[in-house]
Short mmCIF file of all heavy atoms in Angstrom, two decimals:
data_model
loop_
_atom_site.label_atom_id
_atom_site.label_comp_id
_atom_site.label_asym_id
_atom_site.label_seq_id
_atom_site.Cartn_x
_atom_site.Cartn_y
_atom_site.Cartn_z
N ARG A 188 13.68 -5.96 -21.28
CA ARG A 188 13.58 -7.25 -21.99
C ARG A 188 13.61 -7.08 -23.54
O ARG A 188 12.94 -7.86 -24.28
CB ARG A 188 12.01 -7.72 -21.65
CG ARG A 188 11.80 -7.99 -20.19
CD ARG A 188 10.62 -8.77 -19.88
NE ARG A 188 9.33 -8.15 -20.34
CZ ARG A 188 8.56 -7.39 -19.66
NH1 ARG A 188 8.89 -7.02 -18.44
NH2 ARG A 188 7.46 -6.78 -20.15
N ASN A 189 14.20 -6.09 -24.03
CA ASN A 189 14.18 -5.71 -25.52
C ASN A 189 15.37 -6.44 -26.14
O ASN A 189 15.47 -6.06 -27.36
CB ASN A 189 14.18 -4.23 -25.65
CG ASN A 189 15.41 -3.63 -25.46
OD1 ASN A 189 16.48 -4.12 -24.93
ND2 ASN A 189 15.57 -2.25 -25.89
N GLY A 190 16.13 -7.16 -25.48
CA GLY A 190 17.30 -7.87 -26.18
C GLY A 190 18.44 -7.02 -26.59
O GLY A 190 19.11 -7.42 -27.57
N GLY A 191 18.57 -5.88 -25.94
CA GLY A 191 19.75 -5.02 -26.35
C GLY A 191 19.46 -4.04 -27.31
O GLY A 191 20.49 -3.31 -27.76
N ARG A 192 18.21 -3.86 -27.97
CA ARG A 192 18.03 -2.94 -29.03
C ARG A 192 17.99 -1.50 -28.48
O ARG A 192 17.50 -1.21 -27.38
CB ARG A 192 16.53 -3.15 -29.65
CG ARG A 192 16.51 -4.58 -30.21
CD ARG A 192 15.13 -4.66 -30.89
NE ARG A 192 14.93 -5.97 -31.48
CZ ARG A 192 14.49 -6.94 -30.68
NH1 ARG A 192 14.22 -6.83 -29.50
NH2 ARG A 192 14.19 -8.29 -31.26
N ASP A 193 18.68 -0.59 -29.24
CA ASP A 193 18.78 0.82 -28.75
C ASP A 193 18.79 1.67 -29.93
O ASP A 193 19.81 1.62 -30.67
CB ASP A 193 19.97 0.95 -27.82
CG ASP A 193 20.07 2.39 -27.15
OD1 ASP A 193 19.15 3.20 -27.60
OD2 ASP A 193 20.91 2.62 -26.38
N LEU A 194 17.79 2.44 -30.12
CA LEU A 194 17.72 3.43 -31.26
C LEU A 194 18.52 4.67 -30.94
O LEU A 194 18.55 5.63 -31.85
CB LEU A 194 16.38 3.66 -31.63
CG LEU A 194 15.49 2.49 -32.23
CD1 LEU A 194 14.14 2.96 -32.55
CD2 LEU A 194 16.20 1.88 -33.42
N GLY A 195 19.00 4.92 -29.77
CA GLY A 195 19.64 6.13 -29.40
C GLY A 195 18.69 7.22 -29.10
O GLY A 195 17.48 7.03 -28.79
N GLU A 196 19.07 8.56 -29.40
CA GLU A 196 18.25 9.63 -29.10
C GLU A 196 18.29 10.61 -30.33
O GLU A 196 18.04 11.82 -30.22
CB GLU A 196 18.62 10.41 -27.90
CG GLU A 196 18.52 9.55 -26.60
CD GLU A 196 18.50 10.35 -25.42
OE1 GLU A 196 18.65 11.61 -25.41
OE2 GLU A 196 18.42 9.71 -24.23
N GLY A 197 18.52 10.03 -31.58
CA GLY A 197 18.53 10.79 -32.70
C GLY A 197 17.06 11.09 -33.33
O GLY A 197 16.10 10.76 -32.68
N VAL A 198 17.08 11.61 -34.54
CA VAL A 198 15.87 12.03 -35.19
C VAL A 198 15.06 10.77 -35.43
O VAL A 198 13.69 10.76 -35.21
CB VAL A 198 16.12 12.65 -36.49
CG1 VAL A 198 14.75 12.90 -37.24
CG2 VAL A 198 16.90 14.02 -36.30
N ALA A 199 15.61 9.58 -35.85
CA ALA A 199 14.76 8.34 -36.11
C ALA A 199 14.14 7.90 -34.77
O ALA A 199 12.97 7.55 -34.81
CB ALA A 199 15.73 7.27 -36.58
N ALA A 200 14.90 7.92 -33.72
CA ALA A 200 14.23 7.37 -32.36
C ALA A 200 13.14 8.37 -32.01
O ALA A 200 12.11 7.90 -31.56
CB ALA A 200 15.44 7.53 -31.34
N TRP A 201 13.31 9.72 -32.14
CA TRP A 201 12.26 10.61 -31.73
C TRP A 201 10.93 10.44 -32.71
O TRP A 201 9.88 10.45 -32.13
CB TRP A 201 12.73 12.02 -32.03
CG TRP A 201 13.47 12.60 -30.81
CD1 TRP A 201 14.82 12.66 -30.52
CD2 TRP A 201 12.75 13.02 -29.46
NE1 TRP A 201 15.03 13.10 -29.33
CE2 TRP A 201 13.81 13.44 -28.66
CE3 TRP A 201 11.49 13.12 -29.07
CZ2 TRP A 201 13.55 13.86 -27.41
CZ3 TRP A 201 11.22 13.65 -27.87
CH2 TRP A 201 12.30 14.06 -26.97
N ALA A 202 11.22 10.09 -34.02
CA ALA A 202 10.12 9.97 -34.87
C ALA A 202 9.39 8.69 -34.52
O ALA A 202 8.09 8.61 -34.55
CB ALA A 202 10.69 9.82 -36.42
N VAL A 203 10.10 7.51 -34.29
CA VAL A 203 9.37 6.37 -33.76
C VAL A 203 8.69 6.57 -32.50
O VAL A 203 7.53 6.07 -32.34
CB VAL A 203 10.38 5.16 -33.61
CG1 VAL A 203 9.88 3.97 -32.92
CG2 VAL A 203 11.08 4.83 -34.91
N ALA A 204 9.21 7.35 -31.59
CA ALA A 204 8.58 7.61 -30.19
C ALA A 204 7.23 8.36 -30.49
O ALA A 204 6.24 8.01 -29.97
CB ALA A 204 9.47 8.30 -29.32
N ILE A 205 7.35 9.37 -31.34
CA ILE A 205 6.17 10.34 -31.48
C ILE A 205 5.08 9.58 -32.14
O ILE A 205 3.93 9.57 -31.76
CB ILE A 205 6.53 11.70 -32.19
CG1 ILE A 205 7.59 12.40 -31.29
CG2 ILE A 205 5.30 12.46 -32.54
CD1 ILE A 205 6.90 12.93 -30.02
N ILE A 206 5.41 9.03 -33.30
CA ILE A 206 4.45 8.32 -34.15
C ILE A 206 3.83 7.12 -33.49
O ILE A 206 2.70 6.75 -33.57
CB ILE A 206 5.09 7.91 -35.53
CG1 ILE A 206 5.35 9.33 -36.30
CG2 ILE A 206 4.08 7.25 -36.41
CD1 ILE A 206 6.09 9.04 -37.61
N GLY A 207 4.78 6.31 -32.87
CA GLY A 207 4.43 5.14 -32.19
C GLY A 207 3.48 5.46 -31.03
O GLY A 207 2.52 4.69 -30.83
N TRP A 208 3.78 6.49 -30.26
CA TRP A 208 2.90 6.82 -29.13
C TRP A 208 1.49 7.24 -29.72
O TRP A 208 0.52 6.83 -29.13
CB TRP A 208 3.42 7.96 -28.32
CG TRP A 208 2.54 8.40 -27.20
CD1 TRP A 208 1.34 9.14 -27.26
CD2 TRP A 208 2.72 7.99 -25.85
NE1 TRP A 208 0.82 9.23 -26.06
CE2 TRP A 208 1.55 8.56 -25.11
CE3 TRP A 208 3.62 7.24 -25.10
CZ2 TRP A 208 1.39 8.37 -23.78
CZ3 TRP A 208 3.43 7.10 -23.75
CH2 TRP A 208 2.33 7.66 -23.10
N ASP A 209 1.56 7.97 -30.78
CA ASP A 209 0.21 8.45 -31.36
C ASP A 209 -0.63 7.23 -31.77
O ASP A 209 -1.89 7.22 -31.61
CB ASP A 209 0.44 9.38 -32.47
CG ASP A 209 -0.65 10.35 -32.75
OD1 ASP A 209 -1.17 10.98 -31.71
OD2 ASP A 209 -1.14 10.47 -33.89
N LEU A 210 -0.07 6.26 -32.49
CA LEU A 210 -0.72 5.11 -32.99
C LEU A 210 -1.32 4.31 -31.83
O LEU A 210 -2.47 3.88 -31.83
CB LEU A 210 0.16 4.18 -33.82
CG LEU A 210 -0.45 2.85 -34.28
CD1 LEU A 210 -1.72 3.08 -35.15
CD2 LEU A 210 0.59 1.95 -35.02
N ILE A 211 -0.47 3.99 -30.72
CA ILE A 211 -0.96 3.28 -29.58
C ILE A 211 -1.97 4.00 -28.83
O ILE A 211 -2.97 3.57 -28.41
CB ILE A 211 0.25 2.99 -28.67
CG1 ILE A 211 1.19 2.05 -29.32
CG2 ILE A 211 -0.19 2.34 -27.26
CD1 ILE A 211 2.46 1.78 -28.51
N TYR A 212 -1.84 5.34 -28.82
CA TYR A 212 -2.80 6.27 -28.22
C TYR A 212 -4.24 6.17 -28.99
O TYR A 212 -5.23 6.14 -28.20
CB TYR A 212 -2.47 7.77 -28.21
CG TYR A 212 -3.53 8.71 -27.66
CD1 TYR A 212 -3.67 9.00 -26.32
CD2 TYR A 212 -4.37 9.32 -28.64
CE1 TYR A 212 -4.75 9.66 -25.90
CE2 TYR A 212 -5.44 10.10 -28.07
CZ TYR A 212 -5.66 10.31 -26.73
OH TYR A 212 -6.64 11.06 -26.47
N TYR A 213 -4.09 6.11 -30.25
CA TYR A 213 -5.43 6.03 -31.02
C TYR A 213 -6.11 4.78 -30.65
O TYR A 213 -7.38 4.83 -30.35
CB TYR A 213 -5.15 5.89 -32.53
CG TYR A 213 -6.33 5.44 -33.35
CD1 TYR A 213 -7.29 6.32 -33.66
CD2 TYR A 213 -6.42 4.05 -33.59
CE1 TYR A 213 -8.46 5.83 -34.40
CE2 TYR A 213 -7.61 3.63 -34.34
CZ TYR A 213 -8.64 4.51 -34.68
OH TYR A 213 -9.72 4.14 -35.33
N TRP A 214 -5.51 3.66 -30.50
CA TRP A 214 -6.20 2.43 -30.13
C TRP A 214 -6.65 2.40 -28.70
O TRP A 214 -7.75 1.91 -28.38
CB TRP A 214 -5.30 1.23 -30.44
CG TRP A 214 -5.37 0.84 -31.86
CD1 TRP A 214 -4.28 1.00 -32.72
CD2 TRP A 214 -6.40 0.25 -32.63
NE1 TRP A 214 -4.62 0.59 -34.00
CE2 TRP A 214 -5.97 0.11 -33.92
CE3 TRP A 214 -7.67 -0.02 -32.32
CZ2 TRP A 214 -6.82 -0.28 -34.99
CZ3 TRP A 214 -8.53 -0.45 -33.35
CH2 TRP A 214 -8.07 -0.60 -34.66
N ASN A 215 -5.88 2.91 -27.73
CA ASN A 215 -6.33 3.08 -26.32
C ASN A 215 -7.53 3.92 -26.23
O ASN A 215 -8.44 3.69 -25.60
CB ASN A 215 -5.14 3.52 -25.40
CG ASN A 215 -4.13 2.46 -25.20
OD1 ASN A 215 -4.52 1.23 -25.14
ND2 ASN A 215 -2.95 2.76 -25.00
N HIS A 216 -7.44 5.10 -26.98
CA HIS A 216 -8.51 6.09 -26.97
C HIS A 216 -9.81 5.41 -27.56
O HIS A 216 -10.93 5.59 -26.93
CB HIS A 216 -8.18 7.32 -27.77
CG HIS A 216 -9.01 8.50 -27.50
ND1 HIS A 216 -8.88 9.69 -28.11
CD2 HIS A 216 -10.07 8.73 -26.70
CE1 HIS A 216 -9.79 10.52 -27.82
NE2 HIS A 216 -10.61 9.92 -26.85
N ARG A 217 -9.68 4.73 -28.57
CA ARG A 217 -10.74 3.93 -29.15
C ARG A 217 -11.39 3.00 -28.23
O ARG A 217 -12.57 2.77 -28.05
CB ARG A 217 -10.45 3.39 -30.58
CG ARG A 217 -11.53 2.60 -31.20
CD ARG A 217 -11.15 2.24 -32.67
NE ARG A 217 -12.19 1.47 -33.21
CZ ARG A 217 -12.16 1.02 -34.53
NH1 ARG A 217 -11.21 1.43 -35.28
NH2 ARG A 217 -13.19 0.31 -34.98
N LEU A 218 -10.46 2.20 -27.61
CA LEU A 218 -11.06 1.18 -26.67
C LEU A 218 -11.67 1.85 -25.46
O LEU A 218 -12.72 1.19 -24.97
CB LEU A 218 -9.77 0.35 -26.16
CG LEU A 218 -9.25 -0.68 -27.15
CD1 LEU A 218 -7.92 -1.22 -26.61
CD2 LEU A 218 -10.25 -1.69 -27.57
N MET A 219 -11.26 3.02 -25.05
CA MET A 219 -11.97 3.77 -23.97
C MET A 219 -13.34 4.17 -24.33
O MET A 219 -14.18 4.34 -23.47
CB MET A 219 -11.19 4.84 -23.48
CG MET A 219 -9.94 4.45 -22.72
SD MET A 219 -9.10 5.96 -21.99
CE MET A 219 -8.27 6.64 -23.25
N HIS A 220 -13.78 4.15 -25.68
CA HIS A 220 -15.15 4.46 -26.05
C HIS A 220 -15.87 3.09 -26.34
O HIS A 220 -17.10 3.16 -26.38
CB HIS A 220 -15.03 5.30 -27.27
CG HIS A 220 -14.76 6.65 -26.98
ND1 HIS A 220 -15.72 7.66 -26.93
CD2 HIS A 220 -13.59 7.33 -26.69
CE1 HIS A 220 -15.18 8.92 -26.70
NE2 HIS A 220 -13.91 8.72 -26.45
N GLU A 221 -15.16 2.08 -26.47
CA GLU A 221 -15.87 0.89 -26.84
C GLU A 221 -15.92 -0.26 -25.76
O GLU A 221 -16.51 -1.25 -25.99
CB GLU A 221 -15.14 0.30 -28.17
CG GLU A 221 -15.18 1.21 -29.40
CD GLU A 221 -14.59 0.69 -30.60
OE1 GLU A 221 -13.85 -0.40 -30.49
OE2 GLU A 221 -14.62 1.31 -31.65
N VAL A 222 -15.13 -0.12 -24.75
CA VAL A 222 -15.11 -0.98 -23.62
C VAL A 222 -15.63 -0.27 -22.38
O VAL A 222 -15.11 0.76 -21.97
CB VAL A 222 -13.80 -1.65 -23.34
CG1 VAL A 222 -13.84 -2.59 -22.09
CG2 VAL A 222 -13.31 -2.43 -24.50
N ARG A 223 -16.66 -0.61 -21.85
CA ARG A 223 -17.36 0.17 -20.76
C ARG A 223 -16.42 0.33 -19.47
O ARG A 223 -16.47 1.35 -18.96
CB ARG A 223 -18.63 -0.47 -20.30
CG ARG A 223 -19.58 0.51 -19.48
CD ARG A 223 -20.75 -0.10 -19.04
NE ARG A 223 -21.60 0.80 -18.33
CZ ARG A 223 -22.60 0.48 -17.43
NH1 ARG A 223 -22.83 -0.88 -17.31
NH2 ARG A 223 -23.38 1.34 -16.78
N ALA A 224 -15.64 -0.72 -19.14
CA ALA A 224 -14.79 -0.55 -18.09
C ALA A 224 -13.81 0.48 -18.26
O ALA A 224 -13.35 1.25 -17.40
CB ALA A 224 -14.10 -1.84 -17.79
N LEU A 225 -13.36 0.76 -19.49
CA LEU A 225 -12.38 1.84 -19.85
C LEU A 225 -13.13 3.15 -20.11
O LEU A 225 -12.64 4.23 -19.78
CB LEU A 225 -11.60 1.45 -21.07
CG LEU A 225 -10.84 0.12 -20.94
CD1 LEU A 225 -10.00 -0.08 -22.28
CD2 LEU A 225 -9.81 0.19 -19.78
N TRP A 226 -14.36 2.98 -20.58
CA TRP A 226 -15.20 4.33 -20.65
C TRP A 226 -15.38 4.91 -19.33
O TRP A 226 -15.45 6.11 -19.21
CB TRP A 226 -16.47 3.94 -21.35
CG TRP A 226 -17.50 5.02 -21.26
CD1 TRP A 226 -18.70 5.11 -20.79
CD2 TRP A 226 -17.38 6.30 -21.97
NE1 TRP A 226 -19.33 6.24 -20.95
CE2 TRP A 226 -18.52 7.09 -21.83
CE3 TRP A 226 -16.41 6.89 -22.81
CZ2 TRP A 226 -18.83 8.29 -22.31
CZ3 TRP A 226 -16.60 8.21 -23.39
CH2 TRP A 226 -17.82 8.84 -23.10
N ALA A 227 -15.50 4.22 -18.29
CA ALA A 227 -15.73 4.60 -17.02
C ALA A 227 -14.58 5.56 -16.46
O ALA A 227 -14.73 6.41 -15.67
CB ALA A 227 -15.86 3.52 -15.96
N ILE A 228 -13.36 5.25 -17.01
CA ILE A 228 -12.20 6.12 -16.75
C ILE A 228 -12.24 7.30 -17.57
O ILE A 228 -12.09 8.42 -17.12
CB ILE A 228 -10.99 5.33 -17.18
CG1 ILE A 228 -10.74 4.05 -16.34
CG2 ILE A 228 -9.73 6.22 -16.96
CD1 ILE A 228 -9.65 3.11 -16.59
N HIS A 229 -12.58 7.19 -18.87
CA HIS A 229 -12.48 8.25 -19.82
C HIS A 229 -13.73 9.19 -19.84
O HIS A 229 -13.61 10.40 -20.28
CB HIS A 229 -12.31 7.77 -21.18
CG HIS A 229 -12.08 8.66 -22.31
ND1 HIS A 229 -10.93 9.53 -22.24
CD2 HIS A 229 -12.70 8.91 -23.45
CE1 HIS A 229 -10.95 10.28 -23.36
NE2 HIS A 229 -12.03 9.95 -24.03
N VAL A 230 -14.83 8.80 -19.30
CA VAL A 230 -16.04 9.51 -19.31
C VAL A 230 -15.93 10.88 -18.64
O VAL A 230 -16.60 11.85 -18.91
CB VAL A 230 -17.25 8.73 -18.71
CG1 VAL A 230 -16.97 8.62 -17.19
CG2 VAL A 230 -18.51 9.35 -19.14
N VAL A 231 -14.93 10.96 -17.68
CA VAL A 231 -14.65 12.27 -16.99
C VAL A 231 -14.40 13.31 -18.02
O VAL A 231 -14.95 14.36 -17.93
CB VAL A 231 -13.46 12.07 -16.13
CG1 VAL A 231 -12.95 13.44 -15.58
CG2 VAL A 231 -13.73 11.06 -14.90
N HIS A 232 -13.68 13.01 -19.16
CA HIS A 232 -13.24 14.09 -20.00
C HIS A 232 -14.40 14.48 -20.87
O HIS A 232 -14.30 15.59 -21.43
CB HIS A 232 -12.11 13.47 -20.83
CG HIS A 232 -11.47 14.45 -21.80
ND1 HIS A 232 -10.90 15.59 -21.43
CD2 HIS A 232 -11.38 14.45 -23.16
CE1 HIS A 232 -10.47 16.21 -22.54
NE2 HIS A 232 -10.79 15.59 -23.62
N HIS A 233 -15.38 13.65 -21.11
CA HIS A 233 -16.54 13.95 -21.87
C HIS A 233 -17.76 14.53 -21.08
O HIS A 233 -18.81 14.82 -21.72
CB HIS A 233 -16.94 12.84 -22.72
CG HIS A 233 -16.02 12.43 -23.84
ND1 HIS A 233 -16.20 12.76 -25.15
CD2 HIS A 233 -14.84 11.77 -23.84
CE1 HIS A 233 -15.34 12.36 -25.90
NE2 HIS A 233 -14.44 11.69 -25.07
N SER A 234 -17.57 14.67 -19.79
CA SER A 234 -18.78 14.95 -18.92
C SER A 234 -19.25 16.50 -18.99
O SER A 234 -20.27 16.72 -18.57
CB SER A 234 -18.47 14.67 -17.48
OG SER A 234 -17.33 15.34 -17.05
#
C-alpha cells in the first residue's frame, strides 16, 4: 500500500530502517510501561 515507493537497499535505505525501527521501538517500549495491557506482555522481561 506504499504507492510504489522504493528506497532500494543502499546506505540510505539501511539508515532509514535502523533509525526508524529504533524510534518506533522507543515508543512501543514506552507504551509497554505506560499501558497495563502492554505491560502484561513486557513484565516478563523485568521479572
